[in-house]
Amino acid sequence: MSLAMLSSQKAARESPKGARLNKWKLFHTVREAREALGASDRGLAILNALLTFYPENELSEETGFVVWPSNEQLIARANGISPATLRRHLAVLVECGLIIRRDSPNGKRFARKGRGGQVEQAYGFDLSPLVARAEEFAAMAETIAEERRALKCARERLTLLRRDIVKMIEAGLDEGVPGDWAKMGRVYRDIIDRLPRVPDLAIAEDICDALALLHEEVRETLENHVNLQNKSANESHSERHKQNSNPDSQSESEYGFRNKSDVSGNAGETDNLHSLPKREMPLALVLDACEGWRDLAKGGSIRNWREFLGIVEIARPMLGVSPSAWREAAEVMGDKQAAITLAAIYQRGNEIISAGGYLRNLTERARDGQFSVWPMVMALLRARIEAGNSPPPPKPDDDSTGEGGLSVSPALARSLKKPRR
């Protein structure tokens, strides 16, 4: 005996008189409210078996509410569960208040019938709590159904927010839109890391609220950039039309620079590619020109091209260059030339508005055979000479590279000292 059993018996005594309810609809309601009731799957299978022993489709007081199957009959209709499992889950059904035990003096289950064949006294399992608590079960089932619908909507909203945020961040990187995309990506990852494999309604709604704030921030960043572009286009439409009429003219915003210094060298150097050195650019020469690249290496030392290329995955996210922009550059220029180009862009990062957009522009020029990394590196070396931070002086007849300093050919040394045209 327990307080739950006493409560069930009290509810059964207070059931409405003359009530007639379809037993299978009641079972469906109980199944929907299973979690709130604390019933188990095996317990519901046993309850289903008990209902099959009730002779009518409708539970009513006229027919009686007690069924008296033996354990062997219940086991057979409950898909052959063990006797110990049967006893355990029958106790669960009693504890949940779904059935009541009506035990005989000797503990057997049976019915005593009168002379007319009607049942006068039955000992077994009383199903009257199903009728007495029908409205309570229906309210539980409706609440659970509403929570399930709300969870489904929250998951759908979560999926849409995740998809939109990822696509907008990728669009911002691909289009070279100014913004702290690395930070937004970290915030997104931090939010998603809090999401369990199977979230409940409270967690799903909390994650949705956090993603909604990030979604608004990302969208506003993109919309502000679009509005700024539209405003600039309206204010200087005629000037932009004049610039666009010349296919060889590119605006500073296309190249992504804050000033007019071109990191790829002047036009004459770029157009006369046949006059540039045909041999591979020495690693030491690149490192002297792009000294900031060396600072990204572990220990501040780069000993070979493999270590040089390994810095790409560190510098690319820092510059806001999208993976697609880097892959395209590597396919067109080759891994080594694309890495040198990225190193030069990193060296001049303060002068470049959009590193990703500028890398795409150089990739297109390389595709058309109008770009070489030599002018970029020469421009950076010349800038160091003019700033009084020149590399070690070249040896007269040696064009090899070494870790102790940079050695270049006399012709290359003279080209560095030439005034820019």
Side-chain angles (χ1 to χ4, degrees):
M1 181 61 65
S2 66
L3 293 178
M5 294 171 60
L6 290 174
S7 177
S8 299
Q9 294 176 8
K10 180 176 181 296
R13 289 193 300 269
E14 296 175 353
S15 61
K17 301 297 182 180
R20 303 177 65 90
L21 298 175
N22 186 284
K23 63 182 181 181
W24 298 121
K25 290 183 178 180
L26 278 174
F27 177 75
H28 176 75
T29 303
V30 171
R31 184 173 58 190
E32 291 296 315
R34 175 178 62 86
E35 295 179 3
L37 290 169
S40 61
D41 294 337
R42 288 290 183 89
L44 290 182
I46 295 171
L47 178 61
N48 181 79
L50 287 173
L51 289 173
T52 62
F53 288 101
Y54 194 81
E56 305 293 338
N57 282 330
E58 291 184 337
L59 293 172
S60 66
E61 189 176 6
E62 297 176 1
T63 312
F65 295 110
V66 180
V67 292
W68 53 91
S70 65
N71 282 355
E72 290 76 12
Q73 291 173 319
L74 272 177
I75 289 173
R77 295 198 186 185
N79 304 319
I81 61 177
S82 67
T85 302
L86 175 66
R87 289 192 295 270
R88 185 169 65 253
H89 289 286
L90 280 172
V92 171
L93 291 177
V94 173
E95 189 70 22
C96 292
L98 296 174
I99 60 175
I100 300 174
R101 290 183 183 272
R102 301 294 185 189
D103 293 332
S104 65
N106 61 3
K108 301 294 184 180
R109 302 178 200 134
F110 63 92
R112 183 180 294 110
K113 297 183 180 180
R115 294 182 179 180
Q118 72 277 12
V119 176
E120 292 182 347
Q121 183 67 42
Y123 298 100
F125 299 105
D126 189 347
L127 303 176
S128 59
L130 296 177
V131 177
R133 301 176 64 190
E135 294 183 359
E136 179 186 350
F137 297 152
M140 288 182 179
E142 181 62 26
T143 300
I144 292 175
E146 290 179 358
E147 291 179 354
R148 189 180 296 118
R149 287 192 293 268
L151 179 59
K152 181 180 179 181
C153 292
R155 287 179 175 176
E156 290 176 353
R157 183 187 176 207
L158 181 61
T159 300
L160 293 174
L161 286 170
R162 292 180 64 177
R163 183 189 66 188
D164 291 348
I165 289 172
V166 170
K167 286 187 175 182
M168 287 193 296
I169 290 178
E170 289 179 351
L173 289 172
D174 290 342
E175 299 291 338
V177 177
D180 196 348
W181 301 112
K183 177 183 176 182
M184 294 179 189
R186 289 194 301 270
V187 171
Y188 172 76
R189 179 48 52 194
D190 291 342
I191 295 173
I192 296 303
D193 287 344
R194 291 159 41 197
L195 184 65
R197 186 172 179 270
V198 183
D200 58 21
L201 179 59
I203 294 178
E205 289 180 343
D206 181 61
I207 297 296
C208 282
D209 292 341
L211 287 176
L213 293 175
L214 179 60
H215 182 279
E216 183 177 358
E217 180 182 355
V218 176
R219 179 177 54 80
E220 286 183 354
T221 301
L222 295 177
E223 289 181 352
N224 290 339
H225 178 71
V226 172
N227 293 337
L228 184 61
Q229 284 187 328
N230 292 338
K231 182 178 179 180
S232 299
N234 293 333
E235 291 177 351
S236 58
H237 175 76
S238 59
E239 181 180 353
R240 289 185 60 187
H241 178 74
K242 180 179 180 180
Q243 291 175 348
N244 293 336
S245 65
N246 184 358
D248 297 328
S249 174
Q250 301 286 346
S251 66
E252 289 180 17
S253 62
E254 281 185 272
Y255 284 94
F257 284 95
R258 299 185 185 278
N259 56 40
K260 294 183 178 180
S261 60
D262 189 348
V263 81
S264 64
N266 58 45
E269 290 172 333
T270 304
D271 293 340
N272 297 321
L273 294 183
H274 64 275
S275 64
L276 297 173
K278 302 301 181 184
R279 63 186 176 87
E280 187 177 276
M281 180 169 287
L283 175 61
L285 181 70
V286 177
L287 293 177
D288 275 324
C290 308
E291 54 186 346
W293 197 257
R294 199 196 307 266
D295 296 337
L296 300 177
K298 185 177 182 180
S301 174
I302 297 178
R303 295 168 294 181
N304 50 53
W305 282 110
R306 177 196 282 180
E307 294 180 356
F308 184 89
L309 293 172
I311 308 299
V312 168
E313 288 307 314
I314 300 176
R316 181 188 61 75
M318 295 174 63
L319 292 171
V321 175
S322 65
S324 61
W326 165 249
R327 286 195 300 268
E328 185 179 3
E331 290 173 1
V332 174
M333 303 181 192
D335 291 343
K336 190 179 295 184
Q337 303 300 312
I340 295 173
T341 304
L342 197 65
I345 293 175
Y346 180 81
Q347 186 66 27
R348 299 289 290 273
N350 292 334
E351 302 177 14
I352 300 176
I353 298 175
S354 171
Y358 187 58
L359 180 62
R360 287 188 184 276
N361 183 275
L362 295 182
T363 300
E364 291 301 317
R365 292 170 63 181
R367 197 191 306 275
D368 297 335
Q370 299 179 0
F371 171 73
S372 170
V373 295
W374 279 92
M376 298 182 72
V377 176
M378 294 301 102
L380 292 171
L381 287 173
R382 186 179 294 109
R384 288 188 60 187
I385 292 175
E386 294 173 354
N389 188 22
S390 60
K395 297 178 182 179
D397 298 315
D398 189 4
D399 60 353
S400 63
T401 62
E403 293 189 12
L406 172 65
S407 298
V408 297
S409 66
L412 184 55
R414 288 194 298 272
S415 69
L416 288 174
K417 297 179 181 179
K418 291 179 180 179
R420 299 189 69 175
R421 291 170 288 179

